[in-house]
């Protein structure tokens, strides 16, 4: 897939002297859903703001669709729609008016039909003539998405799109993002909700303290780090592992009541059926078993801990 | 998309004008009332005791100064508020991320602010015509000074709006500098009426040149030669354009 955003050795040092981004290089591919995952203050918003032209970079360069964001800002910005993290809207302007304003700002001729479609897609059509100040938080969030989509961008940045949004709306939003991706829009989202990245993203980058720790296909990431565990509750407890089982990746808890087996979920060789057979042969008895898979969340937490 | 982002300029311009329309009553009635008050106090009460100045009745004499006074203050406040407010409520992110050039940003904000003060100036002129007999000797020059002043001081307002990072600062320049300079700039008197020393001091007040030129376009009399008035206004314009360009280029108080 072709690269649509290329970030080269990007650093940001704020006026306070704080280094918010440290030498970041990253390629975003056309048409993917890319999740930027990181704890508070990691630099996600700073990174997005630089690409969109809101924050000036200290070092490095960024190009969007082949256009440098500084030298060729018109062409690069015209490709981008941004939904900011904070709910920043006007107060007295109407919902429809503010979306039309955004479209004009991005250099597009008026298109009432398209704006109606966008507002309908985001369930805001009923509120079209209400002043923004009278909308709820979730509606404002959707309105910001409508504004970002008003000029038919090829790239959509969503800075924590589902913060403060209820569960059903979150599902709607995920669907919207998938529809956009299907229509060819590249989507970059930041999130604190790990399940969001897990559910949505094609690729995931983990960012911490201004550095990208990891960029990976989500499936690959899950495969690499997403080990499965089988836990057996033993009854009666076991004192030591029988020698015949030592070669396997088995771990016995100190009290001898729990036996844990860690394996790659995709690795057929390490299948649990033969293992269970071996355990039975060794005369070990268990009364319960469960399997678990490390979620992206566990992976993320352990990565960030490693860094610290 | 190169060249000129006309849709963006129109969008900002309309947005700014809509902001005025929401407070339409206030934006028309308040200048009408304050102008009427000026005429009651200065024109009727005091003016009846003042001789004609340069052969013009006092009531008519103060009209150009009154218009200048509100042109200056409203141009500044309109434009400064227009750009300060998005900074304040953070909607500025959208402007900063949009494919608009510095020139387009200045053009749309300053254009809207200047339009508003021109409407206002015209309302004041019309109100004044109800009170005193008006005469405009050089209508084209009158319109030219009118436009030039509105644009120049809307630009100053724009610069102030970017510079200000709180509401106090937004009021500071108009209140502490512009209003005193305007009142002392010969709105209500001819500087020839001052003692020689104060006449000399007054010549350091830039507003004198604006009012003098504007009054000349009405009655053909001026405190300073017209070409100096023109040159001074042009110089202001150039300085404010320079500052505004510098601010936008460096992202001064707009970007981190
Ligand atoms: N204008 C600024 N001046 C100085 N430091 C700043 C500025 N903006 C952000 N920072 C700092 O830069 C770091 C990164 O901030 P950023 O907003 O990019 O984080 P984030 O990953 O988006 O966090 P969150 O998940 O909380 O939104 C933080 O330590 C923050 O305090
Ligand atoms: Mg953030």
């Amino acid at each position: 897939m072709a690269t649509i955003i290329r970030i080269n050795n990007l650093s940001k040092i704020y006026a306070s002297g704080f280094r918010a981004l440290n030498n970041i290089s990253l390629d975003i591919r056309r048409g993917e859903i890319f999740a930027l995952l990181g704890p508070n203050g990691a630099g996600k918003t700073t990174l997005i703001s630089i690409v969109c032209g809101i924050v000036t970079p200290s070092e490095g360069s960024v190009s969007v669709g082949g256009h440098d964001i500084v030298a060729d800002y018109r062409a690069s910005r015209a490709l981008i729609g941004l939904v900011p993290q904070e709910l920043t809207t006007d107060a007295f302007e109407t919902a429809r008016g503010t979306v039309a304003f955004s479209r004009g700002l991005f250099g597009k001729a008026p298109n009432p039909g398209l704006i109606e479609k966008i507002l309908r897609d985001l369930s805001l059509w009923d509120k079209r003539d209400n002043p923004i100040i009278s909308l709820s938080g979730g509606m404002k969030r959707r309105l910001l998405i409508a504004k970002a989509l008003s000029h038919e961008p090829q790239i959509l940045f969503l800075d924590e799109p589902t913060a403060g949004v209820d569960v059903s709306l979150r599902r709607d939003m995920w669907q919207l993002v998938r529809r956009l991706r299907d229509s060819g829009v590249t989507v970059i989202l930041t999130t604190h909700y790990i399940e969001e990245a897990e559910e949505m993203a094609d690729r995931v980058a983990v960012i911490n303290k201004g550095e990208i720790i990891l960029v990976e296909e989500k499936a690959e990431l899950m495969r690499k780090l997403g080990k499965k565990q089988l836990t057996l509750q033993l009854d009666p407890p076991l004192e030591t592992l029988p020698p015949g089982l030592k070669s396997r990746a088995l771990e016995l808890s100190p009290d001898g009541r729990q036996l844990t087996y860690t394996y790659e979920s995709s690795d057929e060789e390490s299948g649990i059926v033969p293992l269970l057979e071996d355990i039975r042969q060794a005369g070990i008895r268990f009364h319960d078993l469960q399997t678990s898979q490390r979620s992206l969340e566990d992976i993320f937490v352990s990565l960030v801990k490693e860094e610290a | 998309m190169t060249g000129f982002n006309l849709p963006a300029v129109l969008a900002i311009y309309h947005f700014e004008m809509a902001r005025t329309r929401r407070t339409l009553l206030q934006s028309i009635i308040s200048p009408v009332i304050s102008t009427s008050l000026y005429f009651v106090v200065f024109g009727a009460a005091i003016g009846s005791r003042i001789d004609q100045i340069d052969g013009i009745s006092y009531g008519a004499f103060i009209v150009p100064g009154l218009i200048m006074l509100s042109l200056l203050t409203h141009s500044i406040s309109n434009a400064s508020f227009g750009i300060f407010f998005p900074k304040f409520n953070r909607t500025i992110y959208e402007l900063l991320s949009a494919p608009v050039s510095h020139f387009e940003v200045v053009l749309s904000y300053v254009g809207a602010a200047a339009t508003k003060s021109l409407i206002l100036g015209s309302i004041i002129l019309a109100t004044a015509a109800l009170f005193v007999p008006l005469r405009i000797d050089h209508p084209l020059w009158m319109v030219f000074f009118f436009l030039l002043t509105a644009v120049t001081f809307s630009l100053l307002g724009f610069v102030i709006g970017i510079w200000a990072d709180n509401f106090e600062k937004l009021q500071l320049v108009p209140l502490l500098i512009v209003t005193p300079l305007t009142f002392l700039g010969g709105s209500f008197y001819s500087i020839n009426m001052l003692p020689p020393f104060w006449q000399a001091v007054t010549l350091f007040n830039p507003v004198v040149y604006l009012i003098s030129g504007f009054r000349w376009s009405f009655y053909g009399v001026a405190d300073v030669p017209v070409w100096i008035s023109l040159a001074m206004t042009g110089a202001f314009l150039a300085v404010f354009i320079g500052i505004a360009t510098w601010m936008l280029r460096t992202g001064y108080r707009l970007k981190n």
Side-chain angles (χ1 to χ4, degrees), chain A residues 14 16 18 20 39-46 85 160 192, chain B residues 256:
Chain A
Y14 278 110
S16 59
F18 182 80
N40 285 131
K44 303 180 293 294
T45 300
T46 303
Q85 180 173 1
E160 293 186 33
H192 289 158
Chain B
N256 301 303

Side-chain angles (χ1 to χ4, degrees), chain A residues 99-111 114-115 150-152:
Chain A
V99 177
F101 171 80
S102 299
R103 183 173 170 85
L105 205 55
F106 279 76
K108 292 284 180 94
N111 185 343
L114 178 80
I115 285 169
S150 66
H151 64 281
E152 305 152 88

